Amino acid sequence: MDQIDAVRTPASWVVVGLDNGGTCNNATVLDATGQFLVDRLVENPSRVQDGPESAVESLAEALTGILTMTSTPLSLVRAVGLDTPGPASADGVISSKGSTNFSQVSWHGFDIRGALEARIGLPVIYHNDANAAALYAHHRHFGADAMNRSSVAAIVGTGLGGGVVEAGKVISGAAGMAGELGHVQIPLHGVLEEGQDVPVCNCGFEGDVESIASLTGITKNLLPYWLTRFPEHPLAAEPIGRAAKLLRGYGEKEDPLALAVFGQQARAIGKLFTIAANFTDPAAYFLGGGVVEAAPHFRQWFLNTVREHTQLRREQQAAATFALVPDLDMAGARGAAVAALEAVSG
Ligand SMILES: [Zn+2]
């Protein structure tokens, strides 16, 4: 019943978006007029832990499944957009060192885009998941004006992902590494407290955005410091990983320790956006991740704090907007579909 409400059949040719994750693929269909035919998550197991062959087969099954659900003949599909977690090249070749999701040796240097294209016999357009989410946020926010606008998106999760969109298109870079906003080093003045150690990122950089504005940054850097300032806090009795995950609940209740940690994160993102303002001068700054799912008063406070610490010139203040990234669980598949539509629309 739910399915009938949430699924439409196409009136014209379509593209399909496939979002590949550690446990599930999520699929969607976008028609030539820019309408999504699916209003909710449609998932199947991604089987990435079983290696490339199983994973590519699962992606092909996700394609078949979403076409069946929307009564879309395969002949109407012009292209497929695919996104996966990085790091990967701009053409969808997984890093030669593998990654969290693609740890098996058979994944190292694997061309997942090319393999899916060969399997399904349709053009496949690739982006990493953060870039796909950034692209979706951009198109959703600007609608018909998307191809004339620019934006920057920061998505706070285990790490800090993001994307830079210029004239409606994601900037990929020569090696596919543009928009790795988490590893941009920021000025720490006004972010860290007196005597607080300079945070170190898993990538090896000191004082980059991800070392502060990510769950990993909370666990490794921020919470250990702030617990020395609030030694009686109930989270001091929890294992650090669990304490880090519980912190948002405390933030929603305006707990001083939690607000100190999230305040540092917001100031770090403000510093990043200040760099963006002087680099691409975007029309919109998007913020996504766990914070978007937090209580409305808390996420508004977080967004306001980011905005207060983004130093814009007067002309930029008049031209730019700050917004939360919507529909985050569907943003990858939808962004991948938007990229495919752009590619075939020329
Ligand atoms: Zn880093």
Side-chain angles (χ1 to χ4, degrees):
M1 302 161 293
D2 179 35
Q3 219 164 287
I4 291 163
D5 290 341
V7 174
R8 298 192 297 115
T9 50
S12 61
W13 59 268
V14 303
V15 295
V16 170
L18 300 176
D19 172 52
N20 170 265
T23 53
C24 287
N25 298 314
N26 173 33
T28 195
V29 183
L30 177 62
D31 75 13
T33 68
Q35 299 292 311
F36 287 100
L37 304 187
V38 183
D39 266 350
R40 62 190 172 88
L41 277 177
V42 180
E43 296 184 317
N44 75 327
S46 66
R47 295 193 285 160
V48 291
Q49 302 304 334
D50 297 344
E53 205 170 309
S54 302
V56 169
E57 205 50 43
S58 288
L59 285 165
E61 285 163 16
L63 170 65
T64 312
I66 200 71
L67 295 182
T68 304
M69 180 178 286
T70 55
S71 308
T72 306
L74 182 63
S75 57
L76 287 186
V77 183
R78 295 238 176 132
V80 171
L82 169 69
D83 77 285
T84 76
S89 77
D91 293 338
V93 177
I94 304 297
S95 165
S96 58
K97 292 178 180 168
S99 68
T100 309
N101 276 30
F102 304 111
S103 53
Q104 280 190 10
V105 175
S106 53
W107 277 115
H108 297 188
F110 184 78
D111 177 6
I112 190 167
R113 189 207 67 79
L116 182 63
E117 190 168 87
R119 169 63 182 80
I120 62 179
L122 285 164
V124 175
I125 288 86
Y126 178 85
H127 285 292
N128 73 44
D129 54 0
N131 281 351
L135 191 60
Y136 175 62
H138 180 91
H139 281 260
R140 163 103 189 241
H141 186 82
F142 289 117
D145 214 16
M147 301 312 284
N148 304 315
R149 300 298 185 106
S150 58
S151 66
V152 168
I155 296 158
V156 186
T158 308
L160 185 130
V164 177
V165 176
E166 189 59 43
K169 292 188 186 284
V170 168
I171 297 189
S172 297
M177 291 176 185
E180 291 287 345
L181 302 183
H183 309 296
V184 173
Q185 288 169 302
I186 52 169
L188 297 173
H189 179 73
V191 175
L192 298 185
E193 298 290 304
E194 192 81 26
Q196 186 175 2
D197 286 343
V198 172
V200 179
C201 181
N202 283 344
C203 77
F205 281 2
E206 287 190 337
D208 65 13
V209 188
E210 181 170 303
S211 72
I212 298 166
S214 67
L215 184 62
T216 309
I218 291 179
T219 310
K220 281 180 58 183
N221 301 316
L222 303 195
L223 199 50
Y225 168 75
W226 282 101
L227 283 172
T228 67
R229 301 276 300 268
F230 292 84
E232 307 297 323
H233 197 281
L235 287 179
E238 300 283 349
I240 194 76
R242 182 173 149 77
K245 286 184 183 152
L246 292 171
L247 195 64
R248 195 171 79 205
Y250 282 88
E252 290 172 338
K253 288 181 275 183
E254 298 184 10
D255 172 80
L257 162 73
L259 292 188
V261 170
F262 289 112
Q264 283 199 316
Q265 291 201 321
R267 293 200 294 277
I269 295 169
K271 297 279 187 188
L272 171 69
F273 284 171
T274 302
I275 292 171
N278 290 292
F279 216 108
T280 62
D281 184 22
Y285 298 84
F286 297 119
L287 186 63
V291 71
V292 175
E293 285 135 47
H297 73 276
F298 178 71
R299 67 186 182 211
Q300 197 56 50
W301 168 80
F302 193 88
L303 185 65
N304 289 348
T305 308
V306 169
R307 190 193 318 227
E308 278 163 26
H309 290 85
T310 305
Q311 290 174 268
L312 301 182
R313 295 171 210 286
R314 186 171 303 161
E315 296 85 344
Q316 293 176 313
Q317 282 172 12
T321 54
F322 286 72
L324 300 166
V325 175
D327 307 329
L328 200 73
D329 53 356
M330 293 191 291
R334 288 187 158 196
V338 166
L341 184 64
E342 278 181 2
V344 293
S345 301

